Amino acid sequence: MWQVIAADVIIVGAGPTGLMLACELRLAGVRPLVLERQSQPLEIPKANGLGGQILELLRYRGLLDRFEAACTEPSHPAPRYPFGGVHVDFSPLPEPPLRGLTLPQAHLERLLDERARELGAQVSRGQEIVGVSQNGTTVTAEVHGPDGPYQVTARYLVGCDGGRSRIRDAAGIPFPGTTYPEVNRLGQVTLADSVTRLGNGDLDVPGLGKVRAGSFTRTDRGVFGFGWLTSEVLMVSTTEDEACAVDDGVPMTLTELQDSIRRVLGASFPLGEPRRLSRYQFQARQADQYRDGRILLAGDAAHLFPATGVGLNAGMLDTVNLAWKLAADIHGWAPAGLLDTYHRERHFAGARTLLHTQAQVALRRGLDQAAEALREIFLELVADEQPLRRIGALIAGKDIRYPTLNTNQHPLTGTFAPDLTLHTDQGTTSVAELMHNARPVLLDLADRPDLRETAREWQPRVDIHTAKTDYRPADAILIRPDAHIAWAATTDEPADTAAPALREALSYWFGTPPTVTAHDVDY
């Protein structure tokens, strides 16, 4: 007879998505069990860093400093960013909309694993899921581990097991989309002795001549590009169409990268010592549903994008949206339909990311004069400030506004809460500091006792804070645990409209008022 283990949530996959979900669930008081098929963390290079909106979320959780400390350099603005085979120049903006963290995926996973275990999550490796079943109250996973087979039962199971997700397949969730023939090879390498760096950062390469930094060289065989990561390390890349799919589980060699460069350029490009090498193939896919009963999907199991720099951002943000909703259901106070909002909101966000990454495919794949004209027109458009800001927010995932309850909502509703500086009787704090514990917050910015009294019924489920701010975008804002705004009161909105609207939002997101009450917290 198989041993049966119980957990609140089974997480399949110990990549960044699965480990971030474990951290968020522990903050919400839920017991996750992370099951990973690999017996040891993989050292095969994948993502080279982290960027976009997830960096703000990590700051709101009080983790960004810790992650920056593990990097060779702190998070930094991205003055130039590759987009569809061209570079978008954000340097004219006083505040570039994109920031990056140079943190290889293996290091990121170690940090998240440490954090999850600190919070009390159980992470078990060398565990292969061989079967999944569910009923109206539980889901059961059949597992083969080093000590033999066993079963795990839980309230929910979340597949964070990547683009080839066994969980998605077991649930029968369609994963439509396109696999492009492009194979992309990336290398972080030192400068070869035979190559000369010019004063402007360009290179003088024997047999090739001058090669411009930060540009892409297109031939009828593919695309080559390079840029400087540091004063000593280059990032070089190639893109080629290949008839067969690649296995990204097989490590890439320096010889493979050099051979690819030779095919694309028709000449050798000497490379120094490799620091990191990786290879991948672009896909554009999105699961039809992120939920089937008690089985849910997040990260690459739910979506794959045909561009770099966005997958980790989207996947980790999936988990922040999902965790508190799972916890609400497990703790018994979730209103009807709350868990379904996970699919509605994150499928919407995934589709938005798919939109701009597929647009990048159209920009980069063409080699004729019409394609060159398209790229030239695009660069002219993003030379202006407003479209430049817009494309930056789109890449970073900062332009997401989740669907709202009705069309008359405050413009802030559904957006990521701005990090306001808050002045209180105890000193100065911020919205980011209030979100460290992933708790819902009603933030009263206009000393509105009517709104605090309305929210008091939902204590201790919702924290109530009173503060002043230099710029008051609303009289009050109701912030969900994922730092998105559930409701906001317009400036000087009358009590007879603001209080009922707040009550509606509290009921919609946080269920019926608990029977236990507590004093509000005046900050």
Side-chain angles (χ1 to χ4, degrees):
M1 186 174 180
W2 285 14
Q3 179 187 9
V4 179
I5 298 172
D8 290 332
V9 177
I10 302 167
I11 301 171
V12 182
T17 299
L19 293 170
M20 185 70 181
L21 178 58
C23 294
E24 290 288 303
L25 286 172
R26 285 304 300 142
L27 288 175
V30 168
R31 297 177 301 126
L33 172 61
V34 183
L35 300 175
E36 167 57 48
R37 183 166 58 92
Q38 300 293 335
S39 58
Q40 297 292 330
L42 293 178
E43 294 296 331
I44 295 175
K46 292 186 178 180
N48 295 313
L50 197 59
Q53 187 65 23
I54 190 60
L55 295 185
E56 276 296 275
L57 194 283
L58 291 174
R59 190 169 66 84
Y60 277 39
R61 292 293 187 259
L63 295 174
L64 186 57
D65 288 347
R66 178 174 178 174
F67 280 46
E68 286 183 334
C71 300
T72 55
E73 55 185 280
S75 65
H76 54 82
R80 288 167 59 85
Y81 193 88
F83 187 93
V86 298
H87 277 93
V88 180
D89 185 5
F90 294 111
S91 60
L93 300 178
E95 289 289 335
L98 274 167
R99 298 187 70 82
L101 199 65
T102 306
L103 186 65
Q105 184 167 328
H107 297 174
L108 171 63
E109 290 178 7
R110 280 195 286 271
L111 287 170
L112 288 171
D113 185 282
E114 290 172 2
R115 175 62 173 166
R117 294 176 191 272
E118 286 172 6
L119 293 170
Q122 183 178 353
V123 181
S124 186
R125 298 183 181 273
Q127 315 297 319
E128 183 176 7
I129 308 299
V130 297
V132 177
S133 60
Q134 61 175 316
N135 55 38
T137 58
T138 61
V139 60
T140 299
E142 297 180 5
V143 188
H144 281 179
D147 299 325
Y150 63 97
Q151 291 182 334
V152 183
T153 62
R155 295 283 297 278
Y156 290 98
L157 181 148
V158 185
C160 303
D161 52 339
R164 297 185 177 92
S165 172
R166 296 183 180 185
I167 299 303
R168 186 187 61 239
D169 291 345
I173 298 175
F175 198 44
T178 300
T179 298
Y180 295 97
E182 298 168 292
V183 175
N184 303 269
R185 294 176 172 89
L186 296 175
Q188 295 178 14
V189 297
T190 60
L191 190 65
D193 293 338
S194 60
V195 177
T196 302
R197 177 174 179 168
L198 304 178
N200 60 358
D202 295 346
L203 297 178
D204 187 5
V205 181
L208 278 174
K210 181 179 177 181
V211 182
R212 291 181 56 197
S215 64
F216 293 96
T217 301
R218 290 180 174 81
T219 72
D220 57 3
R221 299 171 298 277
V223 181
F224 168 81
F226 93 90
W228 290 97
L229 284 177
T230 70
S231 60
E232 298 179 349
V233 179
L234 294 170
M235 171 72 84
V236 297
S237 67
T238 63
T239 301
E240 300 177 88
D241 282 3
E242 297 187 15
C244 300
V246 300
D247 184 356
D248 57 9
V250 176
M252 191 177 77
T253 64
L254 184 64
T255 298
E256 179 182 337
L257 178 59
Q258 289 175 316
D259 289 345
S260 179
I261 295 173
R262 187 179 301 110
R263 288 192 298 268
V264 172
L265 296 180
S268 296
F269 189 105
L271 302 176
E273 293 296 319
R275 300 291 178 86
R276 292 180 60 80
L277 299 168
S278 60
R279 173 208 319 105
Y280 52 91
Q281 191 166 26
F282 280 137
Q283 296 190 56
R285 298 185 182 277
Q286 188 171 29
D288 282 353
Q289 294 289 327
Y290 287 10
R291 179 189 180 193
D292 177 66
R294 295 188 173 272
I295 299 174
L296 300 104
L297 304 175
D300 287 354
H303 42 64
L304 293 171
F305 306 116
T308 58
V310 295
L312 282 181
N313 183 48
M316 293 172 71
L317 290 174
D318 286 344
T319 70
V320 178
N321 184 287
L322 174 60
W324 72 274
K325 298 172 183 179
L326 282 174
D329 185 89
I330 290 168
H331 292 320
W333 58 259
L338 177 66
L339 197 50
D340 289 329
T341 67
Y342 167 66
H343 166 80
R344 184 165 71 246
E345 293 181 341
R346 292 310 298 169
H347 195 276
F348 167 78
R352 185 75 176 157
T353 306
L354 203 57
L355 177 70
H356 82 74
T357 53
Q358 286 183 303
Q360 292 188 52
V361 173
L363 274 176
R364 72 171 178 257
R365 281 189 59 77
L367 296 174
D368 60 9
Q369 290 184 343
E372 289 292 344
L374 177 62
R375 287 187 283 267
E376 186 174 341
I377 289 295
F378 173 79
L379 288 174
E380 285 188 12
L381 290 174
V382 294
D384 295 335
E385 181 175 343
Q386 185 54 35
L388 186 60
R389 290 186 181 277
R390 186 159 188 170
I391 202 71
L394 184 64
I395 297 169
K398 293 183 177 182
D399 68 331
I400 297 298
R401 185 189 183 196
Y402 290 141
T404 56
L405 293 177
N406 56 62
T407 58
N408 297 322
Q409 294 281 4
H410 191 284
L412 284 175
T413 306
T415 66
F416 194 83
D419 189 18
L420 304 174
T421 299
L422 305 175
H423 307 291
T424 75
D425 293 341
Q426 287 75 38
T428 301
T429 184
S430 67
V431 169
E433 291 184 7
L434 295 185
M435 302 309 300
H436 283 189
N437 294 323
R439 297 253 317 155
V441 169
L442 176 70
L443 182 56
D444 176 10
L445 298 172
D447 193 15
R448 294 285 300 262
D450 56 317
L451 300 181
R452 297 199 302 274
E453 187 61 33
T454 298
R456 199 185 309 275
E457 295 182 56
W458 274 265
Q459 286 187 297
R461 196 175 297 159
V462 177
D463 295 338
I464 302 172
H465 298 273
T466 302
K468 294 181 179 180
T469 187
D470 298 331
Y471 166 67
R472 177 159 57 98
D475 272 8
I477 54 177
L478 178 63
I479 309 174
R480 306 183 328 188
D482 60 355
H484 276 77
I485 295 176
W487 167 88
T490 58
T491 303
D492 299 325
E493 183 174 352
D496 60 353
T497 60
L502 172 58
R503 175 176 291 277
E504 179 186 16
L506 286 163
S507 298
Y508 183 86
W509 292 111
F510 307 117
T512 57
T515 56
V516 179
T517 60
H519 296 294
D520 58 339
V521 180
D522 290 321
Y523 268 37

